[in-house]
Amino acid sequence: MRYSEAPIFFHGALQCAASVQGKGLAIMIKMENVCKNFGDLEVLKNVNLEVREGEKLVIIGPSGSGKSTTVRCMNFLEEPTSGHVYIDGQELTAKNRTKLVRESISMVFQQFNLYPHMTVLRNLTIAPVKLHHKSKKEAEELAYHYLDVVGLRDKAHAYPTMLSGGQQQRIAIARALCSQTKIILFDEPTSALDPETIQEVLDVMIRLAKENITMVVVTHEMGFARQVADRVVFMADGQILEEGTPDHFFTNPENERVRQFLGKIIRS
Amino acid sequence: MSGIFSLRAWEKVWLYRGTFLLGLFNTVRTAVFAILLALALGILFGLMATSGKRALRAVSRVYVELIQNTPVLLQTCFLYYALAFSGHSIGIITTGILALGIYTGAYMAEVVRAGIEAVPKGQFEAAQSQGFSYLEKMYYIILPQSIKIMLPPMVNQVVNLIKNTSCLYIIGGADLISLTYSFVTGENTGGAYAPAYLISGLLFFVICFPLSKTASSWETALKRREQRQVFARKNAGGKEAMADE
């Protein structure tokens, strides 16, 4: 597949700022003492985390460790039982979440969650038109631009169910880009894919990672983590056990639990 | 002269055709307004039943269970007589519209609830994550997907409502069933049982049958479309897309 060489940012909505990513820049996401319980189950136990503008944060860890819940708290798909979440300096609350999420955060899901009753083009334009008050023409221009970015311009008039999983996920990424938010959350974006379509999605994400978008990615793709992450966070049992640069992580982790986990992943 | 082959009986029905048409008119008039009320209540309580707020869910539950587990005849009498004796007479037609609307509304609410719950959770989350407000999410994303699931059972409820206008008989209504009954028992008109009830039944049938037919053909079309989608997905090699459902 060929990707267009067009720049990812469009209409100058977001400018590529400092090239030194994650250093000395504004804090885009801040989680402060976040706890989340589902009934008696404590899924998050006092999570503290900061993500800076343009930073690529990768969250890894065994399943059931609270990785997904952590990113889902960042856009209030899950409301923390206690603690605070700040987006770009503003506290995220049940009251302001619709507005704040609309303006600042997009999300890419494990199961894509495209709207099956709409064409690809409509999937991409509905939020810009209905929520961001763009004209239909503007929104379509934007949509075709991002379809080029993910290499699927020819699928504009297809319905999601007609596409393969990898294609659906690339459309979902284009949909997230159409909202032109500073933050994109990825919740295990390749976990539901056939092995042979994982790479096409990762390629798109690697390309995004070169831009100044703040990305938080929950993934099991260690190669991806190593290649694009500015920082890696390891979670287990609802807590952050270790965080550091990919180099630190993959060559010399301090925590025994991390070593065990990486040992298993790399062996398999 | 009550026989089905009695020419005189048929003549009498023809002579009094105005009575049947008036009954039909009253039945249809009551039904139309009751359907609108039932739809409004169904959407409102159906949305409440699927909301995140426990109090709203509870209110909706109480409404649905109370109405579904008591006879519509009782509800009609309650509304008419209980209110009349407390000095708030609201008239037979209004009573009929309210009673049937509230009764069918409880079933409509269940249809709406089931339709919304049939939409995968990921659709709600995707809409929320894009910043759709509750109403926008429902209007643009969820209801368009559930409407095709809701329509066939909704039409069936409409058919039931039309037939249930016969309950107005208990409060002295002027609907088709009530007028048919007064016709066959009337001093001057009485006796033509078979033709009168046949005609009355035929009038109900010509209204309800096309509706039922529409509902079942929508249902078939829906199933066929789903099969086509599964087929298309298989052809596209989207094995993983099916894990979604």
Side-chain angles (χ1 to χ4, degrees):
Chain A
M1 136 209 16
R2 278 183 55 237
Y3 295 106
S4 95
E5 292 307 311
I8 288 188
F9 289 111
F10 191 62
H11 286 177
L14 297 168
Q15 296 130 20
C16 299
S19 57
V20 187
Q21 288 173 345
K23 278 171 201 131
L25 290 165
I27 294 170
M28 288 305 289
I29 307 169
K30 182 177 180 181
M31 298 180 85
E32 210 175 72
N33 305 324
V34 170
C35 300
K36 176 71 189 176
N37 302 347
F38 292 115
D40 291 336
L41 190 68
E42 289 178 79
V43 182
L44 293 185
K45 301 170 193 162
N46 215 31
V47 169
N48 285 285
L49 189 62
E50 283 179 5
V51 189
R52 287 178 183 275
E53 188 175 354
E55 192 176 0
K56 321 298 166 206
L57 180 77
V58 170
I59 305 178
I60 61 173
S63 51
S65 59
K67 310 180 296 282
S68 284
T69 312
T70 302
V71 290
R72 289 163 62 86
C73 280
M74 290 176 182
N75 66 353
F76 252 47
L77 279 185
E78 306 291 355
E79 194 175 338
T81 310
S82 66
H84 306 276
V85 179
Y86 300 90
I87 301 299
D88 211 356
Q90 239 185 311
E91 179 163 11
L92 190 56
T93 61
K95 262 208 179 112
N96 71 9
R97 71 166 194 202
T98 300
K99 189 167 169 288
L100 198 52
V101 163
R102 177 184 300 182
E103 287 165 1
S104 313
I105 312 172
S106 305
M107 191 168 198
V108 175
F109 297 86
Q110 182 175 352
Q111 299 289 355
F112 335 128
N113 297 346
L114 295 173
Y115 306 130
H117 58 302
M118 300 175 184
T119 61
V120 164
L121 190 61
R122 179 100 170 119
N123 262 280
L124 266 54
T125 55
I126 179 133
V129 170
K130 302 296 177 190
L131 304 180
H132 302 286
H133 308 294
K134 290 201 159 48
S135 71
K136 191 169 174 244
K137 189 168 162 283
E138 267 180 298
E140 286 185 358
E141 250 178 84
L142 193 67
Y144 277 114
H145 174 80
Y146 287 120
L147 282 174
D148 280 339
V149 168
V150 301
L152 288 171
R153 174 182 270 264
D154 56 326
K155 301 292 184 193
H157 298 287
Y159 280 88
T161 45
M162 294 151 71
L163 306 177
S164 75
Q167 289 171 330
Q168 288 193 54
Q169 194 61 301
R170 281 150 64 200
I171 299 294
I173 292 173
R175 179 174 70 176
L177 287 166
C178 279
S179 291
Q180 297 187 302
T181 55
K182 289 184 180 176
I183 305 169
I184 305 183
L185 310 173
F186 294 82
D187 187 3
E188 303 205 19
T190 57
S191 298
L193 297 176
D194 275 341
E196 65 262 34
T197 60
I198 288 177
Q199 198 54 45
E200 68 186 52
V201 172
L202 288 180
D203 284 344
V204 170
M205 290 172 64
I206 290 166
R207 194 158 169 235
L208 288 193
K210 294 184 180 127
E211 308 292 333
N212 194 38
I213 309 168
T214 307
M215 290 168 68
V216 179
V217 186
V218 173
T219 188
H220 295 293
E221 297 293 331
M222 294 303 141
F224 173 81
R226 207 165 186 162
Q227 189 178 348
V228 309
D230 294 314
R231 192 154 54 105
V232 178
V233 165
F234 179 88
M235 288 188 76
D237 305 319
Q239 289 170 312
I240 294 177
L241 289 192
E242 188 162 349
E243 56 176 282
T245 62
D247 263 353
H248 159 82
F249 239 91
F250 294 106
T251 54
N252 193 20
E254 286 155 28
N255 194 299
E256 183 52 35
R257 190 79 200 270
V258 181
R259 267 185 233 152
Q260 277 175 13
F261 177 77
L262 290 176
K264 269 184 209 154
I265 289 256
I266 287 160
R267 216 178 302 139
S268 62
Chain B
M1 69 157 239
S2 67
I4 193 166
F5 299 112
S6 152
L7 192 61
R8 263 190 63 211
W10 283 101
E11 268 170 8
K12 194 170 271 180
V13 169
W14 176 248
L15 200 62
Y16 283 88
R17 59 190 183 276
T19 305
F20 291 90
L21 289 176
L22 177 67
L24 181 67
F25 173 70
N26 282 334
T27 282
V28 169
R29 183 165 62 141
T30 311
V32 166
F33 287 107
I35 288 163
L36 294 179
L37 177 62
L39 272 177
L41 289 174
I43 291 170
L44 178 68
F45 282 93
L47 288 175
M48 280 164 68
T50 55
S51 91
K53 299 220 165 46
R54 192 175 295 173
L56 292 182
R57 286 203 305 270
V59 170
S60 169
R61 210 62 237 150
V62 167
Y63 164 66
V64 169
E65 296 297 346
L66 271 184
I67 296 299
Q68 287 196 348
N69 293 298
T70 50
V72 61
L73 220 51
L74 180 141
Q75 292 160 18
T76 312
C77 290
F78 178 81
L79 212 59
Y80 190 68
Y81 294 112
L83 283 181
F85 281 115
S86 64
H88 305 83
S89 188
I90 51 171
I92 292 170
I93 291 277
T94 316
T95 307
I97 291 168
L98 285 180
L100 292 174
I102 292 171
Y103 175 76
T104 312
Y107 288 89
M108 291 284 194
E110 286 294 88
V111 171
V112 171
R113 182 181 64 80
I116 291 173
E117 284 175 355
V119 177
K121 202 165 146 256
Q123 294 293 310
F124 292 79
E125 294 186 345
Q128 249 160 280
S129 78
Q130 286 203 294
F132 284 94
S133 69
Y134 175 78
L135 285 179
E136 290 165 335
K137 171 178 76 181
M138 285 298 167
Y139 184 75
Y140 293 116
I141 311 298
I142 305 302
L143 291 179
Q145 294 184 57
S146 39
I147 193 81
K148 54 183 194 205
I149 305 166
M150 300 192 304
L151 268 179
M154 270 188 172
V155 175
N156 287 332
Q157 288 304 328
V158 165
V159 170
N160 279 337
L161 189 150
I162 293 171
K163 292 187 293 181
N164 281 340
T165 54
S166 46
C167 288
L168 295 191
Y169 171 69
I170 200 86
I171 53 168
D175 61 290
L176 184 51
I177 285 288
S178 302
L179 289 189
T180 308
Y181 185 75
S182 24
F183 172 81
V184 295
T185 55
E187 213 173 302
N188 301 319
T189 56
Y193 291 101
Y197 280 119
L198 277 175
I199 289 298
S200 179
L202 183 72
L203 289 176
F204 270 108
F205 188 81
V206 295
I207 293 181
C208 293
F209 180 69
L211 286 172
S212 307
K213 239 12 225 173
T214 312
S216 53
S217 67
W218 275 341
E219 236 171 330
T220 323
L222 174 65
K223 279 193 192 120
R224 215 173 282 151
R225 189 161 52 206
E226 269 164 5
Q227 278 164 1
R228 255 206 312 272
Q229 273 176 6
V230 171
F231 183 71
R233 220 161 10 200
K234 275 182 189 152
N235 277 3
K239 211 172 11 174
E240 57 286 335
M242 293 174 73
D244 204 353
E245 279 134 280

